[in-house]
Amino acid sequence: MSTDQSPAFGGFTDGNRMITIDYPIHWQAKADPSHPLSVEFHSPELKQTGLLVIASPVRIDRSLFASDAQVIEFLGKVLEGAGVESGEASRLLYYPSYAAKLKNGARSWATLHEDLLIVLECRSPEDREHIYRPLFDRMLTSFRIHRSKEGAQLRLLNDVARQLKEQLPASELQVLAGRIKLDQFE
C-alpha cells in the first residue's frame, strides 16, 4: 500500500492568511513566491499528480453581477481558456462555482468570493483516479477562503477612491495605510 492510499492530513495557510486547505502531509506544497495566493500540492509518488490553487491577481467585484447565474456563466468562460470538455454549475463548499472536466483530463473548479477569483485544478493519471479522487475530494472539502476585516476596509477605501477619482479626475489621489489622501485633504 502506498502512502497516497492512506495519508495523514495537515493544513496549509497562504502567507496572506486568505486561503486554507488540508493536504496529505507527505505531499509537497509549493507556493509561488511571485504570487502568494497560488500554491501547488503534488504527490511525491507521482509528480504529475496534484492539486493546483490559483488566485487571480486581478480583483473582480462580485457585486457587478446581478445573480449567481451570471457569476456561474462568467466562471464557465474563465475555464473555457483551459479547454473545457464538459462543465456545469456547481458548489465548491458554499461558494458558487463552475466545475469542468478539461480536455487534458484534469478536473477544475472556478469560484468567485467577494472580489477573489480562484481556480482549482486536480490532475492524476486516469488509471490511478480511484486512489487520488478521494484525496482530492478531502482537500476540496477543506478548502476555505478567509477575508479579513482589514481586507474589507481596504476594498471599501479603494471603492471610495475609485468613485472620488471619477468625480474629481484632476485631483491627486492616494490610498495610504487605511487613509485616502485627496490633494491636501485626508
Side-chain angles (χ1 to χ4, degrees), residues 10 17 73 111-112 132 137 144 156 168 179 182 185:
R17 305 179 67 81
E73 181 181 349
T111 190
L112 179 63
Y132 290 102
D137 289 346
R144 300 285 189 278
L156 175 63
L168 305 165
R179 300 183 326 254
L182 180 65
F185 300 103

Side-chain angles (χ1 to χ4, degrees), residues 6-22:
S6 59
F9 281 81
F12 173 85
T13 302
D14 74 283
N16 293 326
R17 305 179 67 81
M18 291 179 72
I19 59 172
T20 58
I21 189 168
D22 292 345

Side-chain angles (χ1 to χ4, degrees), residues 154-174:
L154 181 60
R155 285 190 306 281
L156 175 63
L157 285 174
N158 286 330
D159 287 344
V160 170
R162 185 183 76 246
Q163 290 178 15
L164 285 170
K165 193 65 174 168
E166 288 172 6
Q167 298 297 316
L168 305 165
S171 300
E172 185 178 327
L173 185 121
Q174 293 177 308

Side-chain angles (χ1 to χ4, degrees), residues 6-170:
S6 59
F9 281 81
F12 173 85
T13 302
D14 74 283
N16 293 326
R17 305 179 67 81
M18 291 179 72
I19 59 172
T20 58
I21 189 168
D22 292 345
Y23 70 102
I25 58 174
H26 70 286
W27 280 27
Q28 295 176 339
K30 183 179 176 190
D32 181 347
S34 66
H35 191 289
L37 287 178
S38 294
V39 62
E40 182 174 8
F41 303 94
H42 63 84
S43 165
E45 296 176 11
L46 285 173
K47 295 289 186 203
Q48 72 272 27
T49 298
L51 184 137
L52 179 62
V53 180
I54 304 169
S56 172
V58 176
R59 298 293 182 238
I60 300 165
D61 189 350
R62 170 75 165 77
S63 66
L64 295 174
F65 300 94
S67 67
D68 277 355
Q70 286 183 345
V71 172
I72 299 300
E73 181 181 349
F74 167 74
L75 295 172
K77 289 179 181 179
V78 166
L79 291 181
E80 278 178 11
V84 172
E85 186 176 292
S86 61
E88 62 187 5
S90 177
R91 282 220 173 276
L92 187 59
L93 294 180
Y94 39 82
Y95 311 115
S97 304
Y98 187 85
K101 181 170 184 184
L102 304 181
K103 290 180 180 174
N104 67 5
R107 294 184 315 147
S108 191
W109 291 261
T111 190
L112 179 63
H113 181 66
E114 293 180 17
D115 65 340
L116 189 61
L117 171 65
I118 297 181
V119 174
L120 296 98
E121 181 178 305
C122 301
R123 60 191 180 287
S124 66
E126 196 173 316
D127 66 336
R128 297 282 187 104
E129 188 171 348
H130 67 284
I131 295 171
Y132 290 102
R133 188 162 195 152
L135 297 178
F136 292 144
D137 289 346
R138 166 77 163 75
M139 293 172 77
L140 292 168
T141 301
S142 72
F143 177 73
R144 300 285 189 278
I145 302 169
H146 307 280
R147 302 310 302 260
S148 68
K149 186 187 295 184
E150 294 81 16
Q153 290 170 344
L154 181 60
R155 285 190 306 281
L156 175 63
L157 285 174
N158 286 330
D159 287 344
V160 170
R162 185 183 76 246
Q163 290 178 15
L164 285 170
K165 193 65 174 168
E166 288 172 6
Q167 298 297 316
L168 305 165

